[in-house]
Amino acid sequence: MNLLYDEQLDGELPEIDRDALIADLQQALPQLQLLHRREDLQPYECDGLSAYRTLPMLVVLPETIEQVQTLMKICHLHKVPVVARGAGTGLSGGALPLEKGVLLVMARFNRILEVNPEGRFARVQPGVRNLAISEAAAPHKLYYAPDPSSQIACSIGGNVAENAGGVHCLKYGLTVHNVMKVEIITVEGERMTLGADSLDAPGFDLLALFMGSEGMLGIVVEVTVKLLPVPQVAKVLMASFDDIGKAGQAVGDIISAGIIPGGLEMMDNLAIRAAEDFIHAGYPVDAEAILLCELDGVEADVNAECERVKAVLEQSGATAISQAKDDAERKLFWAGRKNAFPAVGRMSPDYYCMDGTIPRRELPGVLQGIADLSSEYGLRVANVFHAGDGNMHPLILFDANQEGELERAEALGGKILELCVAVGGSITGEHGVGREKINQMCSQFNDDELQTFHAVKAAFDPDRLLNPGKNIPTLHRCAEFGAMHIHNGELPFPELDRF
C-alpha cells in the first residue's frame, strides 16, 4: 500500500528541486553516500510494517556527526522534510519515508564508544544493536536491561525513538528508565545534550520528553545507557491454564501478592502451538494459555519467591506448573516467547502485529473482547502479552493476496486499540504510533491534549520538517475519523471525548 501524506500535512508539502538539493549535498558533503536511483531506494520503502510503502526521494547514509549537522542545515535551508531510520525493525510505520523528503539512515553509527564498569554506563552510537550493548558489558558482569524481542537486530536509536520495552520491562523499566543522556541534532543542525552523566540534570526533563518522540523532535547521534549487574540467579516458572481468563487473572494475583517478577509473559493457544512448532521449547500445546514468570536476584530470595508464585498460580487455577531445571532450559522457555512473532508468521501468509496497553485487571475482559472481534471479522488472532505491565501484542493473521483481507485486518486492529482505550488503556506500549495508529490517537486524546502535542512539536520543529505526517493527527483529521466511525447514528464508547 502506498500511503499519501497530503491528507495529514494539509497538502502543504513543498515543491522541492531534487536536482538542486542533490547538487548542494554533493558539494558540501562529497564523502556522504547519497542514493537517488530507484533501484537503490527500493530497499528503504518501508520499515517492519511492510504493508505501508513509500519510495523516498533520497536516501543518505552519514558516518559522522558533522555530516549529520551539515545535512540538516541544508535540508532546513531547502525546507526539505527528513525522516530518520535506524535498523528498520519498527512495527508502526514510524520510519516510513516521504516521496518528497530525505531518508536519513543512521545504520553506520554503529560503534560502542565506551563501557564504564565503575560508573555502570555505556556510551554508544544510535546504530548499535540492542543486544550488542549487553554483549560488550558481559565481561564486566553487567548488562542493558530493556530487551525487545527484536533485540538481535533493532538499534538503540530506534529504541529511544519508540521508548522500547521487552520481556523484562516490568521490573527494570522501559528505555526511558535506562537512558541517562542523549546527544541530538536539531532540525537546524544544532547539537544538543539532553540529560546528564549524573542521576538528575537541572532544568526541564527534556530527556523524558524526547523518549518515544519517534524522530519528530531531533536526530539521535549518541546515547548513554545505564548498565545493571547480571542477577546472581534467575529462574523461570511456566504455568498452564485451561482457560485464558484464568491466566489473565493470575497475572493480577501475582502482582497483588507483592511480587514483582523480572518478566511475566502470557501466550494463548494459537501462539503456544506456533512457538512450539518453531522452537520446540517444551510448551504444552493443549493449554489454552501459559504464563512465563521469571524471578531473579539473590538465590535464597529467588527460591522463596518461586514457592510463593507457585502457591498463587495454584490458587489461580493453573493446571500444571513446571520450573526450568537449568539455565539452558530457562533460555529455551524464553526463546519460544521471543520468537513468537516469526513463529506465527509460519502459520499464515501475513500477520499484523498490534501493540496496546491495558490495566492488568482488565486482561480477562479484553481477551474475551478480542475473541469476539476475531469472530466478527473472520480473522484468527494469536495473543502474546507482556502481561505484567499490560502491554499486549495481538497478532492478526490474514492473507494480503485475498481481496479485502488487509483492510479487514487493519479495521480489526483499530477496534482492538479502541477497546484498549475504552478500558482505560493506551493505543501503544512500545511500538509507537507512527503512521499505523494515527487515527486511534483521535480516540485516546481530546483536542486540548492534541493541541499541546502540536505546540511541543512546534517548539522543536516549527516548520514540521522532522518525520511529518506521523504520530500526532490534525484536529481536522480527528473530526473526519469521528465521522467515519459513526454506525447507526451512534459513536462507539460514547463516554470518551470526541470532536
Side-chain angles (χ1 to χ4, degrees), residues 239 241 244 247 265-276 283 287-292 333-341 343-344 367 382-387:
F241 292 84
I244 196 168
E265 300 287 304
M266 179 176 169
M267 300 168 66
D268 71 2
N269 181 261
L270 191 56
I272 293 167
R273 290 178 178 274
E276 180 60 22
Y283 290 170
E288 287 301 310
I290 62 170
L291 286 182
L292 293 175
F333 281 178
W334 281 123
R337 163 59 189 89
K338 290 201 168 190
N339 285 279
F341 291 4
V344 169
L367 286 167
N383 288 292
V384 181
F385 285 79
H386 299 311

Side-chain angles (χ1 to χ4, degrees), residues 265-470:
E265 300 287 304
M266 179 176 169
M267 300 168 66
D268 71 2
N269 181 261
L270 191 56
I272 293 167
R273 290 178 178 274
E276 180 60 22
D277 185 52
F278 185 39
I279 299 296
H280 308 295
Y283 290 170
V285 294
D286 56 342
E288 287 301 310
I290 62 170
L291 286 182
L292 293 175
C293 179
E294 179 167 286
L295 302 157
D296 60 15
V298 178
E299 185 163 12
D301 293 342
V302 171
N303 290 337
E305 286 196 335
C306 281
E307 295 306 311
R308 290 179 63 199
V309 171
K310 286 178 183 177
V312 172
L313 291 170
E314 289 172 355
Q315 293 173 2
S316 300
T319 56
I321 304 171
S322 60
Q323 182 172 321
K325 61 181 181 292
D326 53 30
D327 200 54
E329 188 171 40
R330 178 183 73 86
K331 291 178 179 177
L332 187 59
F333 281 178
W334 281 123
R337 163 59 189 89
K338 290 201 168 190
N339 285 279
F341 291 4
V344 169
R346 300 169 79 233
M347 301 177 66
S348 173
D350 302 282
Y351 72 83
Y352 182 22
C353 176
M354 301 305 301
D355 166 52
T357 303
I358 59 173
R360 282 186 294 265
R361 66 180 181 275
E362 301 291 346
L363 263 173
V366 169
L367 286 167
Q368 183 59 54
I370 292 174
D372 293 342
L373 288 169
S374 174
S375 297
E376 178 184 343
Y377 282 84
L379 296 172
R380 292 182 297 167
V381 179
N383 288 292
V384 181
F385 285 79
H386 299 311
D389 65 330
N391 186 197
M392 47 186 275
H393 294 310
L395 307 177
I396 302 170
L397 280 57
F398 70 99
D399 184 353
N401 293 315
Q402 299 297 317
E403 186 176 354
E405 281 211 4
L406 171 58
E407 290 74 18
R408 204 157 78 246
E410 289 181 306
L412 171 55
K415 288 293 185 182
I416 291 173
L417 295 178
E418 290 168 27
L419 175 61
C420 291
V421 173
V423 300
S426 168
I427 62 169
T428 184
E430 57 175 339
H431 291 180
V433 175
R435 187 67 184 173
E436 172 200 27
K437 304 186 184 96
I438 200 159
N439 283 340
Q440 280 68 42
M441 286 285 286
C442 304
S443 297
Q444 181 164 351
F445 297 103
N446 62 40
D447 55 350
D448 290 335
E449 291 165 333
L450 291 173
Q451 285 175 1
T452 300
F453 292 155
H454 282 290
V456 171
K457 168 69 169 170
F460 282 81
D461 178 21
D463 295 321
R464 294 191 297 172
L465 296 177
L466 288 173
N467 210 11
K470 313 282 180 61

Side-chain angles (χ1 to χ4, degrees), residues 130-201:
N130 175 287
L131 185 59
I133 301 175
S134 291
E135 291 172 342
H140 307 288
K141 298 184 178 180
L142 300 171
Y143 76 114
Y144 178 62
D147 57 342
S149 296
S150 59
Q151 67 178 152
I152 192 172
C154 66
S155 62
I156 193 66
N159 291 175
V160 167
E162 306 296 345
N163 193 22
V167 299
H168 290 96
C169 66
L170 170 62
K171 185 173 182 178
Y172 297 107
L174 302 165
T175 303
V176 67
H177 305 110
N178 290 274
V179 169
M180 301 168 63
K181 182 173 71 174
V182 295
E183 299 280 339
I184 70 168
I185 305 301
T186 69
V187 69
E188 297 93 352
E190 179 185 359
R191 185 170 178 176
M192 291 179 61
T193 299
L194 307 181
D197 292 324
S198 58
L199 293 177
D200 199 5

